[in-house]
Amino acid sequence: MDYNTLIAKYNVAAPRYTSYPTVPFWENDAFNENEWKSNVVARYNQFKAHGISIYIHLPYCESLCTYCGCNTRITKNHKVEEPYIDSLLKEWEMYQHLLGEGSVLIHEIHLGGGTPTFFQAENLERLINGILKGNRKTNDASFSFEAHPANSTREHLQTLYNLGFKRLSLGIQDFDERVQFVINRHQTVEDVSRVMTEAREIGYESINFDLIYGLPLQTKESVQMTIDVSLKMSPDRISFYSYAHVPWIKPGQRRFTELDLPMGKEKLDLYNLGKAMIQEAGYEDVGMDHFAKKEDALFKANTNGTLHRNFMGYADQYTPLMIGLGVSSISDAWTAFGQNVKTVEEYHKCIEEGKLPVFKGHLLNEEDVVVRQYILDMMCRGVVNLLPNHELNDRILERIEPLIRDGLVMVNGLCISITQIGKSFLRNVCMAFDERLQRTKERENLFSQAI
């Protein structure tokens, strides 16, 4: 089957598989706070020597980026910073109490958003010191944060570096002024260059650029320019994401229409162009949408088999328990997911009442755990070894048959591996393992298009 025919066939609504089950298929009715707490404690007690990961969602932005699919609160009122940090630290105290007496070993902290650099450096310092107080860091602790190049100051960079942050992710998306205008995301090449220079001078070890293809008004010329400018700054990692058009979830995306978007083959051509440029510059393909220099930990993880995928994308290591703090944050205890309430008002109210702000989640059954591992293996290693004599095998292999005929995967006994061309359709390949998705015909208005 030729490439254009494959694109037409497989450009369907598909999950990004940052979790399994994916959020639309969580069984919230079976979820309750006591069960959630029980799963967290069990996971912590089993793996406390490994340390935990903490994701902190900082939702505030001064303006709305119309492409954005994140949970944000738009305001120019910076008086919101201190009350929000107060609530974050109270939520963390609840989890510390749940985990028991003694200090908690922390392996990872990630600040996401929103715009973490919306917060003043001194407030971020109070937050991180509050999280670390009385606790310990692992010897190989990994602290990272997301930053908007237009408002990240040297004070931000220095303050967080002094607290142990050595990794930085810059949200760039596109350097073309027309594209920046329509997505309402403004930063100049000079902004990015300044942050890069200051971060290198301070000592940051890994800097990532977030770029997006498939944005409104993008062309081959604009993507080529964006990639070219980015490569000249030589980040350690590049995340080259597909724009997820979900205006039924994010009304801000209605500032433009589907007529403004590169679609199907046109969109895939943008990806292939950018990917070729990135790889020619010496970056290695690390899972879906991610590229890294050979010296970077993400590439090394891909090489040695420790690559992991979570709600933030690909990670160079796996931590058995991840606690999410803040509005809409998702926590992962492997056998259970829990998500916090989605508005700032609800969040503050829960904290004031002394309740964990978790409002929905999912308790994984035995089948879920098996499928979760299969999808993780395919997303991170490109190979799945089916369990011998497992009841899922016949159904999975039957769904794999069309993918074999189309050249997307190869099968040797119970071993399923993705082909080079199949990597362009990785989300579609993972759908063949997704038991919960296969049980429903309702996929539209749940996920963005696979391509």
Side-chain angles (χ1 to χ4, degrees), residues 33-49:
E33 185 177 326
N34 288 334
E35 287 282 356
W36 167 243
K37 289 180 178 179
S38 176
N39 276 268
V40 169
V41 171
R43 192 70 173 170
Y44 177 71
N45 288 336
Q46 184 179 1
F47 292 102
K48 65 172 62 177

Side-chain angles (χ1 to χ4, degrees), residues 92-133:
W92 173 235
E93 286 178 9
M94 293 183 210
Y95 272 109
Q96 284 185 288
H97 179 73
L98 179 66
L99 298 178
E101 298 299 324
S103 65
V104 176
L105 187 63
I106 298 173
H107 180 63
E108 186 176 35
I109 295 178
H110 182 78
L111 305 181
T115 307
T117 46
F118 171 97
F119 286 73
Q120 296 178 50
E122 62 190 42
N123 284 332
L124 292 175
E125 183 175 28
R126 181 167 76 89
L127 169 62
I128 300 304
N129 279 332
I131 297 291
L132 296 177
K133 185 178 180 180

